[in-house]
Amino acid sequence: GAGVSQSPSNKVTEKGKDVELRCDPISGHTALYWYRQRLGQGLEFLIYFQGNSAPDKSGLPSDRFSAERTGESVSTLTIQRTQQEDSAVYLCASSSGAWNTEAFFGQGTRLTVV
Amino acid sequence: GNSVTQMEGPVTLSEEAFLTINCTYTATGYPSLFWYVQYPGEGLQLLLKATKADDKGSNKGFEATYRKETTSFHLEKGSVQVSDSAVYFCALSKLFQGAQKLVFGQGTRLTINP
């Protein structure tokens, strides 16, 4: 596609429910990243993929968080039993995977847990 | 591990003032370095980058020089404008287990007053 696409753009969910956030990277990009941005704060690294593999899952905050990528394309970030502290903007980015290339970001999914 | 430290914000300046936003990094080897910018209501986008020591990245009047000896990549602009008001993120890219890992600093919010 022309850019990184994330859906939904906004999600309001009740505490305790599960949510799935989707990211469609730029076609051909092998690297895909998930970050969390709480209101007024910086980018918190969650997980990244090279192809369908995740070399580093160290940023996932708890076992309620999981992510997968299939077909070296779409990725889904799943949050189970959501808590209010999960409220944030979840950003996805993709790149060609080369060490000196830029990452392109989606517009993010704003998650609000009520 | 790999990390990026930025000067604490927020930073408030008057139009036409000189800007410096400090960024230092910790990494083994030779990472690539980036500055990303997030304008109000928009997604993150690349501002400039440098891929080896002593390289200078530049764009839109902003500059940053890759200083290996001081592990720094400070962002500068000689005369800021109101339209430069945004959040600025310093980042490094390093190969980790065969994949490109992108690590961000906490971001610095810049406000330019007319």
Side-chain angles (χ1 to χ4, degrees):
Chain A
V4 178
S5 177
Q6 292 187 246
S7 60
S9 55
N10 278 284
K11 176 73 176 178
V12 180
T13 189
E14 292 181 352
K15 178 181 172 181
K17 301 281 191 184
D18 298 352
V19 295
E20 282 191 355
L21 311 181
R22 177 187 169 105
C23 174
D24 281 273
I26 292 173
S27 179
H29 277 188
T30 59
L32 186 148
Y33 310 84
W34 283 100
Y35 296 90
R36 179 167 69 178
Q37 187 175 30
R38 289 197 168 108
L39 186 63
Q41 299 193 17
L43 293 177
E44 179 185 359
F45 168 78
L46 297 178
I47 188 171
Y48 80 112
F49 292 89
Q50 177 64 31
N52 294 331
S53 300
D56 188 352
K57 302 179 182 180
S58 63
L60 294 176
S62 74
D63 59 8
R64 296 187 295 106
F65 287 72
S66 63
E68 65 174 16
R69 188 180 186 195
T70 56
E72 298 196 356
S73 180
V74 172
S75 177
T76 303
L77 177 69
T78 302
I79 308 174
Q80 296 178 309
R81 305 181 302 282
T82 51
Q83 304 294 315
Q84 287 188 328
E85 64 262 27
D86 299 334
S87 296
V89 175
Y90 289 82
L91 293 170
C92 176
S94 71
S95 79
S96 67
W99 66 283
N100 58 353
T101 58
E102 68 178 287
F104 294 83
F105 280 81
Q107 291 294 322
T109 294
R110 182 176 299 278
L111 175 66
T112 304
V113 182
V114 297
Chain B
N2 302 317
S3 65
V4 176
T5 303
Q6 290 182 234
M7 68 186 287
E8 298 249 346
V11 174
T12 303
L13 296 172
S14 298
E15 205 164 22
E16 299 182 4
F18 183 85
L19 168 71
T20 300
I21 301 178
N22 289 339
C23 171
T24 57
Y25 68 90
T26 301
T28 56
Y30 300 91
S32 288
L33 301 173
F34 305 82
W35 277 100
Y36 283 79
V37 59
Q38 188 175 34
Y39 296 106
E42 297 185 18
L44 269 86
Q45 57 187 274
L46 179 70
L47 179 61
L48 54 84
K49 71 177 185 181
T51 59
K52 61 182 187 295
D54 300 325
D55 264 4
K56 177 184 285 188
S58 61
N59 186 24
K60 299 182 180 180
F62 289 89
E63 293 183 340
T65 301
Y66 189 142
R67 299 290 187 199
K68 181 71 175 172
E69 64 276 13
T70 54
T71 62
S72 65
F73 194 55
H74 305 322
L75 183 68
E76 296 182 336
K77 186 172 185 181
S79 177
V80 292
Q81 305 301 312
V82 172
S83 58
D84 294 326
S85 298
V87 182
Y88 292 82
F89 293 91
C90 186
L92 70 81
S93 170
K94 187 90 170 53
L95 280 180
F96 177 76
Q97 296 186 1
Q100 178 200 26
K101 183 171 181 179
L102 195 57
V103 177
F104 284 82
Q106 286 302 103
T108 301
R109 182 175 298 277
L110 174 67
T111 302
I112 306 300
N113 294 321

